[in-house]
Amino acid sequence: MSQRCSAAPRPIRQDGIAGVLKFRAGPATVDPSELPLFVHQLTVLLNAGRSPHQLWHDIALVYAADHKGRPAGTRAGFEQHAVPVLWAAQQAAALGVGVSEVLRRAAADSSRRDRWRPGRARTPPADCAGLWRDLAVCLEISERSGAPLAEVLSRYAAQLESSLDSAGARATALAGPTATARLLGWLPAVGLGLGYLTGAEPLAILLGSLPGLVLLGAGVSLIALGRFWSSQLVRSATQGW
């Protein structure tokens, strides 16, 4: 990184950025650990004496070079999100425009893409929109209060790492109850299979008489109620963590 950051600020090549933008619309899975790592990289550059203008230029060069060197099918998700945003931030810093506004627009764009992407498993620490929004807040706090930006970003990185640890602990604690609820949901089907193996015809009994229909309706209702109750318990435990 030090070799890349030692160069004087210069505009990033447009053809390299255009090559990155081709992959912007594709699905990108972001590793949550990349977010605090990115903030730590910003902190290291600031502690090394980089000015705000050089900061965004240097970090953009690092991520653009890493992204361009990867094969097309192995580009990391965070790099797809980060490189266009960092290039825009570098341009804004070079022109003297507020970088925080660029980051807020990037957060809004990322939120819109995530909202219309079905089936995406959202993990709060891996939310790129939240990262850009929080970085904009950190910049504004530093500018208005005079606090060193490196210290503000260092505390934010520690908060992200704490969120990752909490998410991992929560997933571990809820793995057992979730697996148990899933197993119990399959027990009625297993019972029907065992009934046929023993020579009985459970479906014929359930569908062929009024008591059987009553039992079938009661069983289906209890299964649905159990699934709903289990999901509510898991949701309550997740929100209260």
Side-chain angles (χ1 to χ4, degrees):
M1 182 184 298
S2 59
Q3 295 179 352
R4 292 171 182 165
C5 296
S6 60
R10 63 183 185 280
I12 300 175
R13 292 181 54 186
Q14 296 294 329
D15 55 350
I17 297 300
V20 171
L21 291 176
K22 291 189 298 184
F23 301 93
R24 186 178 180 182
T29 301
V30 178
D31 184 355
S33 63
E34 293 185 87
L35 304 190
L37 174 61
F38 170 72
V39 181
H40 279 304
Q41 288 173 327
L42 294 176
T43 304
V44 169
L45 289 173
L46 288 171
N47 289 331
R50 291 299 185 270
S51 65
H53 170 70
Q54 294 173 320
L55 171 67
W56 299 106
H57 175 268
D58 291 348
I59 196 66
L61 279 181
V62 170
Y63 275 83
D66 291 343
H67 185 88
K68 192 175 181 181
R70 294 175 182 266
T74 61
R75 289 181 169 89
F78 182 66
E79 292 174 358
Q80 294 186 33
H81 288 279
V83 174
V85 178
L86 296 178
W87 176 76
Q90 184 267 334
Q91 295 294 328
L95 296 174
V97 183
V99 177
S100 59
E101 183 62 27
V102 174
L103 297 178
R104 289 188 184 279
R105 287 200 300 268
D109 292 342
S110 181
S111 296
R112 283 194 294 268
R113 288 196 303 270
D114 293 343
R115 187 180 304 117
W116 293 105
R117 185 180 300 165
R120 193 177 79 96
R122 290 183 60 85
T123 304
D127 184 8
C128 289
L131 173 70
W132 305 128
R133 186 167 50 249
D134 292 342
L135 284 178
V137 173
C138 291
L139 291 177
E140 292 172 352
I141 290 175
S142 177
E143 292 172 357
R144 296 176 182 178
S145 66
L149 181 58
E151 182 177 350
V152 176
L153 291 179
S154 179
R155 294 187 178 185
Y156 175 52
Q159 177 186 347
L160 286 177
E161 291 174 338
S162 177
S163 299
L164 282 177
D165 294 338
S166 298
R170 181 171 59 249
T172 302
L174 294 178
T178 303
T180 301
R182 188 179 300 113
L183 177 62
L184 292 176
W186 284 102
L187 286 182
V190 175
L192 290 176
L194 291 176
Y196 278 104
L197 289 177
T198 57
E201 295 184 358
L203 286 181
I205 296 174
L206 292 174
L207 299 176
S209 62
L210 181 59
L213 292 175
V214 173
L215 291 176
L216 178 62
V220 172
S221 300
L222 290 175
I223 291 174
L225 180 61
R227 287 183 175 272
F228 173 77
W229 182 248
S230 298
S231 63
Q232 290 298 315
L233 290 177
V234 172
R235 185 176 297 109
S236 298
T238 303
Q239 294 175 354
W241 192 273

